[in-house]
Amino acid sequence: MKTIKHVNQIIKAPVSHMVGDGFKVQSVLPGGTRSHNNRISPFILMDYGAPAYFPPTNRPRGVEQHPHKGFETVTIVYQGELEHRDSTGSHGKLAPGDVQWMTAAAGIVHEEKHETEFSKRGGKVEMAQLWVNLPKAFKNEKPGYQDIKKADIPVVNLNGESYLRVIAGEYNGIKGAARTFSPVHVYDVHLKKDSQVNLTLPASFNTAVVMMHGKADVNGQTASAVETVLFDQDGTDINITALEDATLLVLSGEPINEPIFAYGPFVMNTEEEIIEAINDYNAGKMGFLN
């Protein structure tokens, strides 16, 4: 039986901060790696970089090489162009609409920067990066990389110029582009003013709507830019009506009911596993970038 999901809380993102020298972001999910509970499991954190102009340079800005272990990063590009390298030998470029789904798993070293030619031209960068936890059974799997181009992401036309992109999971039987290790739905939704979308999601999943632009009515509550709507697990339906042109991400996933112990770029189940991850990185077991 379908019932409306109750809005539990609406959270305003804190002020922006720099990640490296190329990403000015706000953390839009509660807790982040400091939270050892499963309030938003399987999601860990999400940083949103609102449009920011970067002047031309011959040295691409971004984040220098760093490790990850135990989870996945999902990078969505809205404006600008990014470039990625990692210790598996993968190298990718992301244009607007593209998604990079990186599985750190047993450990990976990577760097994320503005694309070289884009850097020389300068321009606006707008992006989001979501961290998705891995179940314990997959935390030591071989790391991997999904380079998901805009053209490969299914698009559902809602009405007029409004649309929904199915990045992961499924929407009304349409399967998303990404492979996942636990059940998750990730929808990139673009609504023109006065248009709406009606979603049905499992009552047992943790669910959030992250507003990037504009303003919308979400199950009777008003949410604005860089606000996140959190829901109770009870209920299945979410009705979103755009009060202004709006861009938002819908995140819904089956909780991973396991302990979380996180430290910086590592998300494991125990403190001992974190210490092991640090030692493995220092010993070069996560590989190197050329």
Side-chain angles (χ1 to χ4, degrees):
M1 179 178 174
K2 292 184 178 182
T3 54
I4 296 294
K5 272 190 176 294
H6 178 258
V7 174
N8 178 279
Q9 189 178 12
I10 297 179
I11 300 171
K12 181 76 172 180
V15 296
S16 59
H17 63 278
M18 291 298 297
V19 176
D21 63 357
F23 304 104
K24 185 178 182 180
V25 303
Q26 292 173 272
S27 299
V28 294
L29 290 183
T33 57
R34 296 180 301 278
S35 175
H36 290 190
N37 60 47
N38 285 313
R39 174 68 183 86
I40 56 171
S41 177
F43 310 109
I44 302 165
L45 64 78
M46 180 180 143
D47 283 342
Y48 169 61
Y53 175 76
F54 292 88
T57 177
N58 288 320
R59 185 188 65 81
R61 299 177 178 87
V63 183
E64 300 293 341
Q65 57 181 287
H66 57 283
H68 289 300
K69 181 175 182 177
F71 65 101
E72 301 183 285
T73 65
V74 182
T75 304
I76 304 167
V77 178
Y78 294 96
Q79 295 185 62
E81 298 173 44
L82 305 183
E83 196 161 356
H84 160 91
R85 292 193 308 136
D86 67 44
S87 54
T88 70
S90 295
H91 174 265
K93 296 183 179 182
L94 290 85
D98 293 347
V99 174
Q100 173 209 92
W101 197 295
M102 187 186 77
T103 303
I108 199 168
V109 177
H110 77 146
E111 67 175 21
E112 301 162 288
K113 294 188 175 183
H114 299 178
E115 194 272 334
T116 302
E117 294 304 316
F118 170 81
S119 296
K120 292 177 181 177
R121 298 191 305 271
K124 286 187 177 181
V125 173
E126 181 187 7
M127 51 74 68
Q129 185 172 92
L130 173 70
W131 288 17
V132 183
N133 199 10
L134 286 170
K136 181 177 178 65
F138 299 108
K139 285 186 180 291
N140 287 303
E141 291 286 309
K142 183 179 178 181
Y145 172 77
Q146 297 176 67
D147 183 13
I148 305 172
K149 297 302 182 186
K150 178 181 178 180
D152 297 327
I153 300 173
V155 179
V156 179
N157 293 317
L158 299 173
N159 45 58
E161 298 177 58
S162 299
Y163 62 93
L164 179 154
R165 300 198 309 154
V166 191
I167 295 173
E170 67 174 57
Y171 172 81
N172 288 351
I174 298 171
K175 292 187 177 181
R179 303 183 305 274
T180 67
F181 286 86
S182 63
V184 298
H185 302 290
V186 179
Y187 306 147
D188 175 29
V189 183
H190 300 251
L191 298 175
K192 303 301 287 184
K193 183 181 178 181
D194 297 327
S195 64
Q196 61 180 203
V197 60
N198 302 311
L199 309 171
T200 298
L201 296 161
S204 58
F205 282 21
N206 286 331
T207 302
V209 170
V210 181
M211 298 290 300
M212 265 84 85
H213 295 284
K215 184 181 294 185
D217 179 287
V218 182
N219 282 0
Q221 301 288 323
T222 300
S224 302
V226 295
E227 290 185 338
T228 297
V229 184
L230 300 177
F231 299 87
D232 291 340
Q233 284 187 339
D234 294 341
T236 58
D237 284 19
I238 298 174
N239 302 313
I240 303 171
T241 301
L243 304 176
E244 303 170 355
D245 290 357
T247 302
L248 54 104
L249 274 180
V250 177
L251 310 174
S252 187
E254 183 177 72
I256 299 172
N257 292 314
E258 298 172 351
I260 297 173
F261 201 99
Y263 178 81
F266 307 124
V267 180
M268 303 301 291
N269 299 107
T270 66
E271 183 178 6
E272 290 73 22
E273 290 170 338
I274 291 291
I275 294 169
E276 182 182 8
I278 295 170
N279 291 337
D280 285 350
Y281 169 63
N282 290 333
K285 293 182 180 180
M286 296 182 186
F288 302 90
L289 290 179
N290 294 329

